Amino acid sequence: MEIVYVIEDFSIKGGAERIIAEKANYLASRFQHHVTIVSIYHDEHPISYHLEESVDFISLEIPFTPKNNSILLKTLFRIITMGKIIFKFQTIINRIQPKLIFYTMSLGAILLPLIKTKAKKVYESHSARSFTP
């Protein structure tokens, strides 16, 4: 089965990243599922947790939002960034044709309804903060 996990930045050494790495490794090695982890943001740091050779990793290479005091520029940049994320991620989903997509974090909740696919979509929350999608 083709499975995709989407996370904002897989180079962070956090709990969500560790859980996703462990689940991806387990599904790939134990059940021979084809698992791909898609990291949205570009980060110079290497990925935080070990992935089995059978687990694919793709970075969308989206730059982080630059610090800016102007609310107008910040909002405009976020809209442009979201468009890039949707386009790049949709291209990957079209190529992989997964049966199951796991989304995490708040950006995943925003992406969930915007991606066109026949795959089942699952939102997982791995956050230490309160969040209501």
Side-chain angles (χ1 to χ4, degrees):
M1 179 187 321
E2 298 285 336
I3 300 172
V4 171
Y5 278 92
V6 184
I7 191 155
E8 290 179 20
D9 182 6
F10 201 62
S11 66
I12 295 172
K13 214 165 188 61
E17 294 76 14
R18 183 183 58 80
I19 289 168
I20 289 171
E22 287 182 13
K23 287 172 67 176
N25 289 337
Y26 184 77
L27 290 169
S29 63
R30 176 79 162 101
F31 299 104
Q32 286 72 49
H33 292 306
H34 183 249
V35 182
T36 303
I37 296 174
V38 178
S39 181
I40 294 171
Y41 292 112
H42 171 76
D43 197 334
E44 298 297 323
H45 300 94
I47 61 175
S48 297
Y49 297 98
H50 166 77
L51 296 176
E52 300 290 334
E53 282 186 33
S54 58
V55 175
D56 290 333
F57 176 78
I58 299 172
S59 176
L60 297 183
E61 298 292 327
I62 302 293
F64 291 108
T65 305
K67 302 284 187 219
N68 192 312
N69 291 335
S70 167
I71 236 166
L72 179 63
L73 286 176
K74 217 185 280 187
T75 303
L76 179 62
F77 188 81
R78 286 183 177 156
I79 291 169
I80 292 168
T81 300
M82 185 56 74
K84 289 178 184 178
I85 292 169
I86 292 167
F87 176 77
K88 286 184 170 189
F89 187 59
Q90 186 69 62
T91 301
I92 288 169
I93 293 304
N94 291 346
R95 181 172 46 90
I96 295 174
Q97 294 291 309
K99 297 285 185 215
L100 191 57
I101 303 173
F102 288 94
Y103 294 80
T104 61
M105 313 305 234
S106 55
L107 186 55
I110 294 168
L111 277 176
L112 191 67
L114 300 175
I115 300 303
K116 294 179 177 112
T117 180
K118 291 182 181 181
K120 299 288 184 191
K121 300 175 185 177
V122 178
Y123 178 74
E124 289 186 3
S125 180
H126 299 281
S127 180
R129 293 175 215 66
S130 176
F131 173 73
T132 304

